[in-house]
Structures are given as structure tokens and as C-alpha cells.
Amino acid sequence: MSYRSIAIDGPSGAGKSTLAKRLAQELGFLYVDTGAIYRTVGLAARSRGADPDREAEVAAVLPQLAITMGYGEDGLQHMFLDGQDVTAAIRENEISAWASKVAALPAVREFLLEMQRRTAREHDVIMDGRDIGTVVLPQADVKIFLTAAPEARAQRRFRELLERGQQADFDQVLREVVERDRRDTQRETAPLRQAEDAVLAETTGLDLEESFRLLLGLIRDRLGVEEENT
Ligand code: DC
């Protein structure tokens, strides 16, 4: 049987993971957070002392890594590195920059491509990332490019960090968002860009509930799925 796939791409802090998680629950799809996979490679590069700006150093580490995804009873994705659950560790603010740097390396993208495609061959998936609609799943049934103004995204990231009890400075978070946008959109391999057949969803003025309704309507429409309850 063939499975359905929904690709959600966009810059960091656009609300992809929060929305994709809820949409997956609503639709009964598996949620795949591909950023978490890049974060796991970033964490591994850091712990092994590989310079993330040097492709050869990171590439040398890749074959030694056992990276797996697992799903807990809560249905949420957990990341494992060499058998250790690193789900929380990869969320540290510092790992964002490492992830963004290793994600620019063709060797890393190539290494992770099959893992992502295999998951989509085996499940109905809603997958979020930067190149899902353009590179990983070009045949996805629904493609959404989710974005919001940098200030709105930095504000969300800032609140998220504070809620997790991490120290944060808004101006610095905004600078980091802008810097990551630059790196993610300007890299040569699989840069962040809207696929030609993706629907643009701009959420700057929308709250989470409004964004959720917008995407759900759009997906149901594209998949030809009826609303179950009113
Ligand atoms: O979505 P996130 O912030 O957890 O992603 C971490 C980094 O990984 C981000 O800088 C972009 C990169 N990434 C990517 O290049 N391709 C993807 N499919 C997902 C994430």
C-alpha cells in the first residue's frame, strides 16, 4: 500500500513543529521532525570534537554514528545517539548553531536522506524541515511553506527558551534567527526555499489556533478528507 505524505518547510520559529505535531495527531499521521535529526548530528559533531565548518572532519565522524528515531507511548519522536536518548540535549540553544552548520554540509544531507525517505515509505507522515518538499519528498501529496516575520519568530523562540528555564536575551535570539535564516537559505546544498507547488502560509498575525485551522483546512482540502466532527 502506498502512504500519504505532507511536507511542511519553512524557517526556524515559524511554528512548524508545534503545528505539525498537532496536525499529525488530528489526522493520525506520524510526525517526523527532521530538524531533530540534524540537531543530533550537530550534537555528535560537538561531542566528538569535529569542526562543523570542516566537511571532511564531520564526514569522518558520520560512519561511526548510530542515529535512530523512536516513538514513545505519547506518540512523540525521540532521538537516540549511540543508544542514548538525546531528545532533551539537542534542544539546548547552543546546538541550534551546530545543527545549522552541519546541515550545510552535503555529506551530512546525503547521509540523512535515505533515513527520511524510508520513514515516508513506511508510514503516513507529516514531515517538517527545510527541504522536504524540494528534495526529500518531491512527490509529497501536500506541500506547505510556513513562514512568519523574523521578529515574530524570534519572539516565539524567546518565550520557548524562557519556558524551558533557559536564559535568553531577545536581541540575541533575533540575531540568531536572522543568522540561521541566512545560512539555511544561502547554502548551496538543499537551501531553504518554497517548492513551486507548495502553498504559502504566512502566520505573522495569526495565533496558534488560527494557524492550525488554516493548515488543517488546507490539508483536508488537498487530501480530499472530510472533516469528522463539527
Ligand atoms: O528545525 P530546527 O531548528 O530544529 O532545525 C535545526 C537546523 O537543521 C536548522 O538550522 C536547519 C537544519 N535543517 C535542515 O537543514 N534541513 C531540514 N530538513 C531540517 C533542518
Side-chain angles (χ1 to χ4, degrees):
M1 95 176 250
S2 79
Y3 291 95
R4 292 162 300 172
S5 52
I6 300 165
I8 302 190
D9 290 303
S12 61
K16 295 188 300 296
S17 63
T18 310
L19 289 165
K21 217 178 286 174
R22 250 186 93 184
L23 289 163
Q25 263 176 355
E26 180 79 23
L27 298 163
F29 280 35
L30 187 70
Y31 166 54
V32 184
D33 171 1
T34 63
I37 314 176
Y38 286 94
R39 285 171 178 274
T40 305
V41 175
L43 180 73
R46 189 184 65 165
S47 65
R48 283 162 203 244
D51 182 342
D53 291 318
R54 290 174 186 265
E55 182 162 24
E57 280 190 31
V58 178
V61 165
L62 294 176
Q64 308 161 11
L65 305 181
I67 295 179
T68 49
M69 283 189 294
Y71 287 84
E73 279 178 14
D74 48 7
L76 295 184
Q77 177 180 325
H78 285 246
M79 292 306 305
F80 297 88
L81 173 61
D82 301 330
Q84 263 201 321
D85 190 333
V86 294
T87 312
I90 59 171
R91 294 293 151 199
E92 280 171 30
N93 201 32
E94 197 198 332
I95 296 302
S96 301
W98 281 79
S100 170
K101 287 185 178 180
V102 298
L105 307 175
V108 171
R109 305 204 73 85
E110 180 64 28
F111 180 73
L112 298 180
L113 191 57
E114 179 50 25
M115 178 179 182
Q116 298 169 77
R117 287 188 174 156
R118 189 176 55 240
T119 309
R121 279 199 300 273
E122 296 171 352
H123 306 271
D124 282 329
V125 293
I126 178 156
M127 194 175 274
D128 81 14
R130 305 296 190 284
D131 62 337
I132 309 306
T134 51
V135 176
V136 180
L137 305 176
Q139 312 296 340
D141 298 281
V142 186
K143 296 183 187 179
I144 294 166
F145 194 82
L146 187 71
T147 190
E151 291 74 16
R153 293 186 281 118
Q155 191 57 250
R156 293 173 194 166
R157 189 65 95 193
F158 176 63
R159 255 187 267 128
E160 210 178 273
L161 289 168
L162 294 185
E163 277 164 20
R164 277 201 218 113
Q166 294 187 22
Q167 294 225 320
D169 169 68
F170 177 75
D171 289 337
Q172 192 190 337
V173 173
L174 178 58
R175 275 196 301 275
E176 286 169 1
V177 163
V178 171
E179 173 57 19
R180 277 216 284 159
D181 282 359
R182 191 193 60 73
R183 227 184 280 135
D184 294 342
T185 53
Q186 292 183 14
R187 67 180 177 220
E188 278 186 19
T189 312
L192 169 66
R193 66 177 178 82
Q194 183 179 346
E196 272 175 22
D197 49 352
V199 183
L200 177 67
E202 228 291 350
T203 66
T204 303
L206 304 184
D207 66 18
L208 207 58
E209 194 56 36
E210 292 165 330
S211 305
F212 174 71
R213 293 281 145 210
L214 173 73
L215 296 197
L216 186 61
L218 212 145
I219 291 169
R220 284 198 163 128
D221 194 41
R222 300 262 153 158
L223 289 180
V225 178
E226 295 288 321
E227 195 163 348
E228 277 166 21
N229 43 26
T230 51

Coordinates of all heavy atoms in Angstrom, one line a residue, residues 29-120:
F29 N -1.5 10.7 11.4 CA -0.2 10.6 10.7 C 1.0 10.5 11.7 O 0.8 11.0 12.8 CB 0.0 11.7 9.7 CG -0.7 11.7 8.4 CD1 -2.0 11.1 8.4 CD2 -0.1 12.1 7.3 CE1 -2.7 11.1 7.2 CE2 -0.8 12.1 6.0 CZ -2.1 11.6 6.0
L30 N 2.1 10.0 11.2 CA 3.3 10.1 12.0 C 4.0 11.4 11.8 O 4.2 11.8 10.7 CB 4.2 8.9 11.6 CG 5.5 8.7 12.4 CD1 5.1 8.1 13.8 CD2 6.4 7.7 11.7
Y31 N 4.3 12.0 13.0 CA 5.1 13.3 12.8 C 6.6 13.1 12.8 O 7.1 12.4 13.7 CB 4.7 14.2 14.0 CG 5.6 15.4 14.1 CD1 5.8 16.3 13.0 CD2 6.3 15.7 15.3 CE1 6.7 17.3 13.1 CE2 7.2 16.8 15.4 CZ 7.4 17.6 14.3 OH 8.2 18.6 14.4
V32 N 7.2 13.6 11.8 CA 8.7 13.4 11.7 C 9.3 14.8 11.7 O 9.2 15.6 10.8 CB 9.1 12.7 10.4 CG1 10.6 12.5 10.4 CG2 8.4 11.3 10.3
D33 N 10.1 15.1 12.7 CA 10.8 16.3 12.9 C 12.2 16.1 12.4 O 13.1 15.6 13.1 CB 10.8 16.7 14.4 CG 11.7 17.8 14.8 OD1 12.3 18.4 13.9 OD2 11.8 18.1 16.0
T34 N 12.5 16.6 11.1 CA 13.8 16.3 10.6 C 14.9 17.2 11.1 O 16.0 16.9 11.2 CB 13.8 16.4 9.0 OG1 13.5 17.8 8.7 CG2 12.8 15.5 8.4
G35 N 14.5 18.4 11.7 CA 15.4 19.3 12.3 C 16.1 18.5 13.5 O 17.3 18.7 13.8
A36 N 15.3 17.7 14.2 CA 15.9 16.9 15.3 C 17.0 16.0 14.9 O 17.9 15.7 15.6 CB 14.7 16.1 16.0
I37 N 16.9 15.5 13.6 CA 17.9 14.6 13.1 C 19.2 15.4 12.9 O 20.3 14.9 13.2 CB 17.4 13.9 11.8 CG1 16.0 13.3 12.0 CG2 18.4 12.7 11.5 CD1 15.4 12.7 10.8
Y38 N 19.1 16.6 12.3 CA 20.3 17.4 12.1 C 20.8 17.9 13.4 O 22.1 18.0 13.5 CB 19.9 18.6 11.2 CG 19.7 18.2 9.7 CD1 18.5 17.9 9.2 CD2 20.8 18.1 8.9 CE1 18.3 17.5 7.9 CE2 20.7 17.6 7.6 CZ 19.4 17.4 7.1 OH 19.3 16.9 5.8
R39 N 20.0 18.1 14.3 CA 20.4 18.5 15.7 C 21.3 17.4 16.3 O 22.3 17.6 17.0 CB 19.3 18.9 16.6 CG 18.7 20.2 16.3 CD 17.4 20.5 17.0 NE 16.9 21.8 16.7 CZ 17.2 22.9 17.4 NH1 18.1 22.8 18.4 NH2 16.8 24.1 17.0
T40 N 20.8 16.2 16.1 CA 21.5 15.0 16.6 C 22.9 14.9 16.0 O 23.9 14.6 16.7 CB 20.7 13.7 16.4 OG1 19.4 13.9 17.0 CG2 21.4 12.5 17.1
V41 N 23.0 15.2 14.7 CA 24.4 15.2 14.1 C 25.2 16.3 14.6 O 26.4 16.2 14.9 CB 24.3 15.3 12.5 CG1 25.6 15.4 11.9 CG2 23.5 14.1 12.0
G42 N 24.6 17.5 14.9 CA 25.3 18.6 15.4 C 25.8 18.3 16.8 O 27.0 18.6 17.1
L43 N 25.0 17.6 17.6 CA 25.4 17.2 19.0 C 26.6 16.3 18.9 O 27.6 16.4 19.6 CB 24.2 16.6 19.7 CG 24.5 16.1 21.1 CD1 24.6 17.3 22.1 CD2 23.3 15.2 21.6
A44 N 26.5 15.3 18.0 CA 27.5 14.3 17.8 C 28.9 15.0 17.4 O 29.9 14.6 17.9 CB 27.1 13.3 16.8
A45 N 28.8 15.9 16.5 CA 30.0 16.6 16.0 C 30.6 17.3 17.1 O 31.9 17.3 17.3 CB 29.6 17.6 14.9
R46 N 29.8 18.0 18.0 CA 30.4 18.7 19.1 C 31.0 17.8 20.1 O 32.1 18.0 20.5 CB 29.3 19.5 19.8 CG 29.9 20.4 20.9 CD 28.9 21.2 21.7 NE 28.0 20.3 22.5 CZ 27.3 20.7 23.5 NH1 27.2 22.0 23.8 NH2 26.6 19.8 24.2
S47 N 30.3 16.7 20.4 CA 30.9 15.8 21.5 C 32.1 15.1 21.0 O 32.9 14.6 21.8 CB 29.8 14.8 22.0 OG 29.4 14.0 21.0
R48 N 32.3 14.9 19.6 CA 33.5 14.3 19.1 C 34.5 15.2 18.7 O 35.5 14.8 18.1 CB 33.1 13.3 18.0 CG 32.4 12.1 18.5 CD 31.6 11.3 17.5 NE 30.6 10.5 18.2 CZ 30.6 9.2 18.1 NH1 31.5 8.5 17.4 NH2 29.7 8.5 18.8
G49 N 34.3 16.5 18.9 CA 35.3 17.5 18.6 C 35.6 17.7 17.1 O 36.7 18.1 16.7
A50 N 34.5 17.5 16.3 CA 34.7 17.7 14.9 C 34.3 19.2 14.6 O 33.3 19.7 15.1 CB 33.8 16.8 14.1
D51 N 35.1 19.9 13.8 CA 34.8 21.3 13.5 C 33.7 21.3 12.5 O 33.8 20.8 11.4 CB 36.1 21.9 12.9 CG 35.9 23.4 12.5 OD1 34.7 23.8 12.4 OD2 36.9 24.1 12.4
P52 N 32.5 21.9 12.8 CA 31.3 21.9 12.0 C 31.5 22.7 10.7 O 30.7 22.5 9.8 CB 30.2 22.5 12.8 CG 30.9 23.4 13.8 CD 32.2 22.7 14.1
D53 N 32.6 23.5 10.6 CA 32.8 24.2 9.4 C 33.7 23.4 8.4 O 34.0 23.9 7.3 CB 33.5 25.6 9.7 CG 32.5 26.5 10.4 OD1 31.3 26.5 10.0 OD2 32.9 27.2 11.4
R54 N 34.2 22.3 8.9 CA 35.1 21.5 8.0 C 34.4 20.2 7.6 O 34.3 19.3 8.5 CB 36.4 21.2 8.7 CG 37.3 22.4 8.9 CD 38.5 22.0 9.8 NE 39.3 23.1 10.0 CZ 40.4 23.5 9.3 NH1 40.8 22.8 8.3 NH2 41.0 24.6 9.6
E55 N 34.0 20.1 6.4 CA 33.2 19.0 6.0 C 33.9 17.6 6.2 O 33.3 16.7 6.6 CB 32.8 19.1 4.5 CG 31.9 17.9 4.0 CD 31.2 18.2 2.8 OE1 31.6 19.1 2.0 OE2 30.1 17.6 2.6
A56 N 35.2 17.6 5.9 CA 36.0 16.3 6.0 C 36.0 15.8 7.4 O 35.8 14.6 7.7 CB 37.4 16.5 5.5
E57 N 36.1 16.7 8.4 CA 36.1 16.3 9.8 C 34.7 15.7 10.2 O 34.7 14.7 10.9 CB 36.4 17.5 10.7 CG 37.9 17.8 10.8 CD 38.2 18.8 11.9 OE1 37.5 18.9 12.9 OE2 39.1 19.6 11.7
V58 N 33.7 16.4 9.8 CA 32.3 15.9 10.2 C 32.0 14.6 9.4 O 31.5 13.6 9.9 CB 31.2 16.9 9.9 CG1 29.9 16.4 10.2 CG2 31.5 18.2 10.7
A59 N 32.4 14.5 8.1 CA 32.2 13.3 7.3 C 32.9 12.1 7.9 O 32.4 11.0 7.8 CB 32.6 13.6 5.9
A60 N 34.0 12.3 8.5 CA 34.8 11.2 9.1 C 34.1 10.6 10.3 O 34.2 9.4 10.6 CB 36.2 11.7 9.5
V61 N 33.3 11.4 10.9 CA 32.6 11.0 12.1 C 31.3 10.2 11.8 O 30.9 9.3 12.5 CB 32.2 12.3 13.0 CG1 31.2 12.0 14.0 CG2 33.5 12.8 13.6
L62 N 30.7 10.6 10.6 CA 29.3 10.1 10.3 C 29.2 8.5 10.3 O 28.3 8.0 10.9 CB 28.9 10.6 8.9 CG 28.6 12.1 8.8 CD1 28.2 12.5 7.4 CD2 27.5 12.5 9.8
P63 N 30.2 7.8 9.7 CA 30.0 6.3 9.7 C 30.0 5.7 11.1 O 29.6 4.6 11.3 CB 31.2 5.8 8.9 CG 31.8 7.0 8.2 CD 31.4 8.2 9.0
Q64 N 30.6 6.4 12.1 CA 30.6 5.9 13.4 C 29.4 6.1 14.2 O 29.2 5.6 15.3 CB 31.8 6.6 14.2 CG 33.1 6.6 13.6 CD 34.0 7.7 14.2 OE1 33.7 8.3 15.2 NE2 35.1 7.9 13.5
L65 N 28.4 6.9 13.7 CA 27.2 7.3 14.4 C 26.1 6.3 14.3 O 25.7 5.9 13.1 CB 26.8 8.7 14.0 CG 27.8 9.8 14.1 CD1 27.1 11.1 13.7 CD2 28.4 9.9 15.5
A66 N 25.5 5.9 15.4 CA 24.2 5.2 15.3 C 23.1 6.2 15.7 O 22.9 6.5 16.9 CB 24.3 4.0 16.3
I67 N 22.4 6.7 14.7 CA 21.3 7.6 14.9 C 20.0 7.0 14.6 O 19.8 6.5 13.5 CB 21.5 8.9 14.0 CG1 22.8 9.6 14.4 CG2 20.3 9.8 14.1 CD1 23.1 10.9 13.6
T68 N 19.1 6.9 15.6 CA 17.8 6.3 15.3 C 16.7 7.2 15.9 O 16.9 8.0 16.8 CB 17.7 4.9 16.0 OG1 18.1 5.0 17.3 CG2 18.5 3.9 15.2
M69 N 15.5 7.0 15.3 CA 14.4 7.7 15.8 C 13.5 6.7 16.4 O 13.4 5.6 16.0 CB 13.6 8.3 14.6 CG 14.2 9.5 14.1 SD 13.0 10.3 12.9 CE 12.9 9.1 11.6
G70 N 12.8 7.1 17.5 CA 11.8 6.1 18.1 C 10.6 6.9 18.5 O 10.7 8.2 18.6
Y71 N 9.5 6.2 18.7 CA 8.3 6.9 19.1 C 7.8 6.4 20.4 O 7.7 5.2 20.6 CB 7.2 6.8 18.0 CG 7.6 7.7 16.8 CD1 8.5 7.2 15.8 CD2 7.2 9.0 16.7 CE1 8.9 8.0 14.8 CE2 7.6 9.8 15.7 CZ 8.4 9.3 14.7 OH 8.8 10.1 13.7
G72 N 7.7 7.3 21.4 CA 7.2 6.9 22.7 C 5.7 6.6 22.7 O 5.1 6.8 21.7
E73 N 5.2 6.2 23.9 CA 3.8 5.9 24.0 C 3.0 7.2 23.8 O 1.8 7.1 23.4 CB 3.5 5.3 25.4 CG 3.8 3.8 25.5 CD 3.6 3.2 26.8 OE1 2.9 3.9 27.6 OE2 4.0 2.1 27.0
D74 N 3.6 8.3 24.1 CA 3.0 9.6 23.8 C 2.9 9.9 22.3 O 2.3 10.9 21.9 CB 3.7 10.7 24.6 CG 5.2 10.6 24.3 OD1 5.7 9.8 23.4 OD2 6.0 11.4 25.0
G75 N 3.5 9.1 21.5 CA 3.5 9.3 20.1 C 4.5 10.3 19.6 O 4.6 10.6 18.5
L76 N 5.3 10.8 20.6 CA 6.3 11.8 20.2 C 7.6 11.2 19.8 O 8.0 10.1 20.3 CB 6.5 12.8 21.4 CG 5.3 13.6 21.8 CD1 5.6 14.6 22.9 CD2 4.7 14.3 20.5
Q77 N 8.3 11.9 18.9 CA 9.6 11.4 18.4 C 10.7 11.6 19.4 O 10.9 12.7 19.9 CB 9.9 12.2 17.1 CG 11.2 11.9 16.5 CD 11.3 12.8 15.2 OE1 10.4 13.1 14.5 NE2 12.5 13.2 14.9
H78 N 11.5 10.6 19.6 CA 12.7 10.7 20.4 C 13.9 10.4 19.6 O 13.8 9.6 18.6 CB 12.6 9.6 21.6 CG 11.7 10.0 22.7 ND1 12.1 10.3 24.0 CD2 10.3 10.1 22.7 CE1 11.0 10.6 24.7 NE2 9.9 10.5 23.9
M79 N 15.0 11.1 19.8 CA 16.2 10.8 19.1 C 17.2 10.1 19.9 O 17.4 10.4 21.1 CB 16.8 12.1 18.6 CG 16.0 12.9 17.6 SD 15.6 12.0 16.1 CE 17.1 11.4 15.5
F80 N 17.8 9.1 19.3 CA 18.9 8.3 20.0 C 20.2 8.5 19.3 O 20.2 8.4 18.1 CB 18.5 6.9 20.1 CG 17.2 6.6 20.9 CD1 15.9 6.7 20.3 CD2 17.2 6.4 22.3 CE1 14.8 6.6 21.0 CE2 16.1 6.3 23.0 CZ 14.8 6.3 22.4
L81 N 21.2 8.7 20.1 CA 22.6 8.7 19.5 C 23.4 7.7 20.2 O 23.5 7.7 21.5 CB 23.2 10.1 19.7 CG 24.6 10.3 19.3 CD1 24.9 10.0 17.8 CD2 25.1 11.7 19.7
D82 N 23.9 6.7 19.5 CA 24.6 5.6 20.1 C 23.9 5.0 21.3 O 24.4 4.8 22.3 CB 26.0 6.1 20.5 CG 26.8 6.6 19.3 OD1 26.6 6.1 18.2 OD2 27.6 7.5 19.5
G83 N 22.6 4.8 21.1 CA 21.8 4.2 22.1 C 21.3 5.1 23.3 O 20.5 4.7 24.1
Q84 N 21.8 6.3 23.3 CA 21.4 7.2 24.3 C 20.2 8.2 23.9 O 20.3 8.7 22.8 CB 22.6 8.1 24.7 CG 23.3 7.6 25.9 CD 24.1 8.8 26.5 OE1 24.6 9.6 25.8 NE2 24.1 8.9 27.8
D85 N 19.3 8.4 24.7 CA 18.2 9.3 24.4 C 18.7 10.7 24.5 O 19.0 11.2 25.6 CB 17.0 9.0 25.3 CG 15.7 9.8 24.8 OD1 15.9 10.8 24.2 OD2 14.6 9.3 25.2
V86 N 18.8 11.4 23.4 CA 19.3 12.8 23.4 C 18.2 13.8 23.0 O 18.5 15.0 22.7 CB 20.5 12.9 22.4 CG1 21.7 12.1 22.8 CG2 20.1 12.5 20.9
T87 N 17.0 13.4 23.2 CA 15.8 14.3 22.8 C 15.9 15.6 23.5 O 15.6 16.6 22.9 CB 14.5 13.6 23.2 OG1 14.6 12.2 22.7 CG2 13.3 14.3 22.6
A88 N 16.3 15.6 24.8 CA 16.4 16.9 25.5 C 17.7 17.7 25.2 O 17.6 18.9 24.9 CB 16.3 16.7 27.0
A89 N 18.8 16.9 25.1 CA 20.1 17.6 24.9 C 20.1 18.3 23.6 O 20.7 19.4 23.5 CB 21.2 16.5 24.9
I90 N 19.4 17.8 22.5 CA 19.5 18.5 21.2 C 18.7 19.8 21.2 O 18.8 20.6 20.2 CB 19.0 17.6 20.1 CG1 17.6 17.2 20.3 CG2 20.0 16.4 19.9 CD1 17.0 16.4 19.1
R91 N 17.9 20.1 22.2 CA 17.1 21.3 22.3 C 17.9 22.5 22.9 O 17.4 23.6 23.0 CB 15.8 21.1 23.1 CG 14.9 20.2 22.4 CD 14.4 20.7 21.1 NE 14.0 19.6 20.2 CZ 13.9 19.8 18.9 NH1 14.0 20.9 18.3 NH2 13.7 18.7 18.1
E92 N 19.1 22.2 23.4 CA 19.8 23.3 24.0 C 20.1 24.4 23.0 O 20.4 24.0 21.8 CB 21.1 22.8 24.6 CG 20.9 22.2 26.0 CD 22.1 21.5 26.5 OE1 23.2 21.9 26.2 OE2 22.0 20.5 27.3
N93 N 20.1 25.6 23.4 CA 20.2 26.7 22.4 C 21.5 26.6 21.6 O 21.5 26.8 20.4 CB 20.1 28.0 23.1 CG 19.7 29.1 22.1 OD1 19.0 28.9 21.2 ND2 20.2 30.3 22.4
E94 N 22.5 26.2 22.2 CA 23.9 26.1 21.6 C 23.9 25.1 20.4 O 24.6 25.3 19.4 CB 24.9 25.7 22.6 CG 26.3 25.9 22.2 CD 27.3 25.1 23.1 OE1 26.9 24.8 24.2 OE2 28.3 24.8 22.6
I95 N 23.0 24.1 20.5 CA 23.0 23.1 19.5 C 22.4 23.6 18.2 O 22.7 23.1 17.1 CB 22.3 21.8 20.0 CG1 23.1 21.2 21.2 CG2 22.2 20.7 18.9 CD1 24.5 20.8 20.8
S96 N 21.6 24.6 18.3 CA 20.9 25.2 17.1 C 22.0 25.6 16.1 O 21.8 25.3 14.9 CB 20.1 26.4 17.4 OG 19.1 26.0 18.4
A97 N 23.0 26.3 16.5 CA 24.0 26.8 15.6 C 24.8 25.6 15.0 O 25.2 25.6 13.8 CB 25.0 27.7 16.3
W98 N 25.1 24.6 15.9 CA 25.8 23.4 15.4 C 25.0 22.7 14.3 O 25.5 22.3 13.3 CB 26.1 22.4 16.6 CG 27.3 22.9 17.4 CD1 27.3 23.8 18.3 CD2 28.6 22.3 17.3 NE1 28.6 23.9 18.9 CE2 29.4 23.0 18.3 CE3 29.3 21.4 16.5 CZ2 30.8 22.8 18.5 CZ3 30.6 21.1 16.7 CH2 31.3 21.8 17.7
A99 N 23.7 22.6 14.6 CA 22.8 21.9 13.6 C 22.8 22.6 12.3 O 22.9 22.0 11.2 CB 21.4 21.8 14.2
S100 N 22.7 23.9 12.4 CA 22.6 24.7 11.2 C 23.9 24.6 10.4 O 23.9 24.5 9.1 CB 22.3 26.1 11.6 OG 22.5 27.0 10.5
K101 N 25.1 24.5 11.1 CA 26.3 24.4 10.4 C 26.5 23.0 9.7 O 26.9 22.9 8.5 CB 27.5 24.7 11.3 CG 27.6 26.1 11.6 CD 28.8 26.4 12.5 CE 28.9 27.9 12.7 NZ 30.0 28.3 13.6
V102 N 26.2 21.9 10.5 CA 26.4 20.6 9.9 C 25.4 20.4 8.7 O 25.6 19.7 7.8 CB 26.4 19.4 10.9 CG1 27.5 19.6 11.9 CG2 25.0 19.3 11.6
A103 N 24.2 21.0 8.9 CA 23.1 20.9 7.9 C 23.5 21.5 6.5 O 23.0 21.1 5.5 CB 21.8 21.5 8.3
A104 N 24.6 22.3 6.5 CA 25.0 22.9 5.3 C 26.0 22.0 4.5 O 26.3 22.3 3.4 CB 25.7 24.3 5.5
L105 N 26.4 20.9 5.1 CA 27.4 20.0 4.5 C 26.7 19.0 3.7 O 25.9 18.2 4.2 CB 28.2 19.4 5.6 CG 28.9 20.3 6.6 CD1 29.6 19.5 7.7 CD2 29.9 21.3 5.9
P106 N 27.1 18.9 2.4 CA 26.4 17.9 1.5 C 26.6 16.5 2.1 O 25.7 15.7 1.9 CB 27.2 18.0 0.2 CG 27.7 19.4 0.2 CD 28.0 19.8 1.6
A107 N 27.7 16.2 2.7 CA 27.9 14.8 3.2 C 26.9 14.4 4.2 O 26.4 13.3 4.3 CB 29.3 14.7 3.8
V108 N 26.5 15.4 5.1 CA 25.6 15.2 6.1 C 24.2 15.0 5.5 O 23.4 14.1 5.9 CB 25.6 16.4 7.1 CG1 24.4 16.2 8.1 CG2 26.9 16.4 7.9
R109 N 23.8 15.8 4.5 CA 22.5 15.8 3.9 C 22.3 14.4 3.2 O 21.3 13.8 3.3 CB 22.3 16.9 3.0 CG 22.5 18.3 3.6 CD 21.7 19.4 2.9 NE 20.3 19.3 3.2 CZ 19.7 19.8 4.3 NH1 20.4 20.5 5.2 NH2 18.4 19.7 4.4
E110 N 23.4 14.0 2.5 CA 23.3 12.7 1.8 C 23.1 11.6 2.8 O 22.3 10.7 2.6 CB 24.6 12.6 1.0 CG 24.8 11.4 0.2 CD 23.7 11.2 -0.9 OE1 23.3 12.3 -1.4 OE2 23.4 10.1 -1.3
F111 N 23.9 11.7 3.9 CA 23.8 10.6 4.9 C 22.4 10.5 5.5 O 22.0 9.3 5.8 CB 24.8 11.0 6.0 CG 24.9 10.1 7.2 CD1 25.6 8.9 7.1 CD2 24.4 10.4 8.4 CE1 25.7 8.0 8.1 CE2 24.5 9.6 9.5 CZ 25.2 8.3 9.4
L112 N 21.7 11.6 5.6 CA 20.4 11.5 6.3 C 19.2 11.3 5.3 O 18.1 11.1 5.8 CB 20.2 12.8 7.1 CG 21.2 13.0 8.3 CD1 20.8 14.3 9.0 CD2 21.2 11.8 9.3
L113 N 19.5 11.5 4.1 CA 18.4 11.4 3.1 C 17.5 10.1 3.1 O 16.3 10.2 3.2 CB 18.9 11.7 1.7 CG 17.9 12.0 0.6 CD1 17.1 13.2 0.9 CD2 18.7 12.2 -0.7
E114 N 18.2 9.0 3.1 CA 17.5 7.7 3.0 C 16.7 7.4 4.2 O 15.6 6.9 4.2 CB 18.5 6.6 2.7 CG 18.0 5.2 2.6 CD 16.7 5.1 1.7 OE1 16.6 5.9 0.7 OE2 15.9 4.2 1.9
M115 N 17.3 7.8 5.4 CA 16.5 7.6 6.6 C 15.2 8.3 6.6 O 14.1 7.8 7.0 CB 17.4 8.2 7.8 CG 16.8 8.1 9.1 SD 18.1 8.9 10.3 CE 17.2 8.6 11.8
Q116 N 15.2 9.5 6.1 CA 13.9 10.3 6.0 C 13.0 9.7 5.0 O 11.8 9.5 5.2 CB 14.2 11.8 5.6 CG 15.1 12.5 6.7 CD 15.6 13.8 6.1 OE1 14.9 14.8 6.1 NE2 16.8 13.9 5.7
R117 N 13.5 9.3 3.8 CA 12.7 8.7 2.8 C 12.1 7.4 3.2 O 10.9 7.1 2.9 CB 13.5 8.6 1.5 CG 13.7 9.9 0.8 CD 14.3 9.7 -0.6 NE 14.4 11.0 -1.2 CZ 15.3 11.3 -2.2 NH1 16.1 10.4 -2.6 NH2 15.3 12.5 -2.7
R118 N 12.9 6.6 3.9 CA 12.4 5.3 4.3 C 11.2 5.5 5.2 O 10.2 4.8 5.1 CB 13.5 4.5 5.0 CG 13.1 3.1 5.3 CD 14.3 2.3 5.9 NE 14.8 2.9 7.1 CZ 16.0 3.3 7.3 NH1 16.9 3.2 6.3 NH2 16.4 3.9 8.4
T119 N 11.3 6.4 6.2 CA 10.2 6.7 7.1 C 8.9 7.0 6.3 O 7.8 6.5 6.7 CB 10.5 7.8 8.1 OG1 11.8 7.5 8.6 CG2 9.5 7.9 9.2
A120 N 9.0 7.8 5.3 CA 7.8 8.1 4.5 C 7.3 7.0 3.6 O 6.2 7.0 3.3 CB 8.2 9.3 3.6

